[in-house]
Amino acid sequence: MTTPIPRDDRPVPRWARAFAVVAIAAGAAVAFALAADAGPDARPWLVVLTYVAAVAATLGALALGMEEWARTGRHPRRTGVATFAVLLLAVAGFVVAVPVGWAAVTGWVAGILGSSLVSIPILRRNRGAVDAYWAERRRAATVEAAEAPGARGRRAPGRRGRPAPVGTMLRGEITRARRRLLAVTLAALLVTGGFVAVFRSEPAFWMTAGVAAFYVLWEVRGIASRRLALRAYEAGRSRPRVAWVALLYDPAPRMVRPLLAVWDERPEPGPGRYPKPDRVYRADDEADDLLSFQQSLEVHEAWVPASREPFLPPRWVVADAGAAIPQRRALFGRWYFGMLSRGERSEPIALRAGEPDPMAEAGAPTPPWALPSVRQVAGYAGVLGFFAGLFHLVVLAG
């Protein structure tokens, strides 16, 4: 377990605060336009007041766990729950009147885009803790280098130790993907069945069923890609080599896959950032073990198979922390990754395992299907239920 890395406001871009103000001001302009065009069922002052309340509630929800995130680098679950609850309340505004609903949703979006207004003051208070942390890290690194000169950054081929359990990790990915598929299927049956029984809205039912089918097909695709990765590893088509990787969550709302950066040589953090990676891919979105977040970037030494073609991604990437399944090259990936990882100063995490042995792992059985947890089913049911309610309101408004 690694020591939590405190965060401050220095890696935040200088234009973040101005962008937040512009986003909230643009949302206010939309709210005033909605108020000016509001009918007799929605008073103009109610539309504007709803926008202001939605912005304030969203900023408050985002600030709920900001202190913990600044101290530990981990995103508290309560922040996501509170933000999603504000969105549900915003969508419920359509019940009052359509302009009120759009003003509430606009306020929620403006609050998300304007989150720097609450995050920067909280992060700024943490500057002393960040300086103390990195001073201690530099002292510990100096002591370690004096006690074991040349031990750090050693290349992995030929190292001693237990073999890297690449096959085991890839089979575990297949098992987790199966469990997600069952969770999505159960959630889809519960939500669509309950929707028919309660609302009896045929158009909204078919729209909800379409979203559920997309989720199911997405998980089927995930199982297929993991099986291909395992088959390629066990066949030993390419000798695994050492690389350094970072799996970074993409904050862009339309991007469902994180960025997987790959360095051929150990990247040394320079003045406030890592060097640009050699290649950047879009990887599978459920690889939570390796996943890190902006301003909490973790770089891992990993085993990577030699690329099949210059522009094709490797079938798999495995480090001590877990596995990732690359899917495709990221468009403008090196530039985009460099922008997101601005201000990172953490040290790369070395491998503890030896060289992979595909022959020794070939033929091992994949664990059987297992039922998902109630929390997993409830999570997917909540997402599908949100879409079902939204579609129902849209049908009623139409």
Side-chain angles (χ1 to χ4, degrees), residues 156 158-162 352-354:
R159 76 170 71 206
R160 297 178 181 179
R162 58 181 177 83
R352 297 186 301 272

Side-chain angles (χ1 to χ4, degrees), residues 32-394:
F32 277 109
L34 290 170
D37 196 42
D41 56 339
R43 298 178 181 177
W45 65 266
L46 180 60
V47 175
V48 176
L49 183 62
T50 300
Y51 171 78
V52 173
V55 171
T58 304
L59 293 178
L62 293 173
L64 188 62
M66 185 58 65
E67 292 280 1
E68 181 178 344
W69 180 76
R71 187 177 66 256
T72 66
R74 293 190 298 269
H75 290 256
R77 185 181 297 272
R78 62 177 178 273
T79 299
V81 172
T83 308
F84 187 69
V86 174
L87 177 59
L88 292 179
L89 292 174
V91 172
F94 284 98
V95 177
V96 178
V98 173
V100 172
W102 283 119
V105 173
T106 302
W108 182 83
V109 174
I112 295 291
L113 297 178
S115 60
S116 298
L117 293 181
V118 296
S119 64
I120 290 177
I122 295 174
L123 290 170
R124 182 168 296 166
R125 297 199 297 265
N126 217 31
R127 287 191 175 190
V130 171
D131 292 338
Y133 174 86
W134 286 107
E136 176 61 23
R137 286 287 293 267
R138 286 192 294 269
R139 187 197 65 78
T142 302
V143 172
E144 183 178 351
E147 293 178 351
R152 296 174 61 82
R154 190 175 296 164
R155 301 290 292 172
R159 76 170 71 206
R160 297 178 181 179
R162 58 181 177 83
V166 174
T168 302
M169 287 193 175
L170 293 178
R171 291 185 189 90
E173 288 293 319
I174 294 174
T175 301
R176 284 189 284 272
R178 287 174 171 178
R179 196 173 289 123
R180 286 193 301 271
L181 175 60
L182 288 178
V184 170
T185 304
L186 290 174
L189 293 175
L190 289 172
V191 172
T192 52
F195 197 85
V196 170
V198 175
F199 294 104
R200 302 182 184 275
S201 174
E202 185 173 349
F205 163 76
W206 285 113
M207 287 188 284
T208 306
V211 174
F214 172 80
Y215 269 98
V216 170
L217 292 176
W218 183 265
E219 296 301 337
V220 170
R221 174 215 56 84
I223 294 176
S225 64
R226 285 160 173 77
R227 284 195 171 277
L228 288 174
L230 179 61
R231 189 179 304 170
Y233 170 70
E234 292 182 340
R237 296 169 189 163
S238 58
R239 180 180 176 84
R241 63 181 180 85
V242 169
W244 297 85
V245 302
L247 188 66
L248 179 63
Y249 172 79
D250 191 344
R254 296 180 60 185
M255 297 298 177
V256 297
R257 289 194 178 113
L259 294 164
L260 179 69
V262 179
W263 293 267
D264 292 328
E265 300 292 335
R266 175 189 170 104
E268 298 294 342
R273 69 173 63 197
Y274 278 105
K276 282 188 178 181
D278 297 294
R279 292 168 302 282
V280 178
Y281 304 103
R282 289 288 177 181
D284 215 307
D285 58 312
E286 296 290 350
D288 295 334
D289 296 330
L290 275 176
L291 189 64
S292 55
F293 292 85
Q294 194 175 5
Q295 301 178 24
S296 304
L297 183 68
E298 289 185 354
V299 177
H300 296 259
E301 190 179 14
W303 290 105
V304 181
S307 180
R308 298 166 287 162
E309 296 291 344
F311 291 98
L312 290 180
R315 289 288 191 188
W316 49 267
V317 168
V318 170
D320 285 335
I325 310 296
Q327 297 294 337
R328 61 175 177 83
R329 277 285 186 106
L331 185 64
F332 305 116
R334 299 179 69 220
W335 167 80
Y336 187 44
F337 184 89
M339 182 184 70
L340 292 179
S341 60
R342 178 184 181 271
E344 293 296 347
R345 292 162 291 181
S346 60
E347 295 181 9
I349 301 172
L351 273 165
R352 297 186 301 272
E355 193 167 355
D357 188 358
M359 295 297 294
E361 295 190 86
T366 301
W369 289 66
L371 290 175
S373 65
V374 175
R375 176 180 295 181
Q376 213 170 8
V377 176
Y380 284 112
V383 173
L384 293 175
F386 168 75
F387 280 111
L390 180 61
F391 292 147
H392 183 63
L393 290 174
V394 170

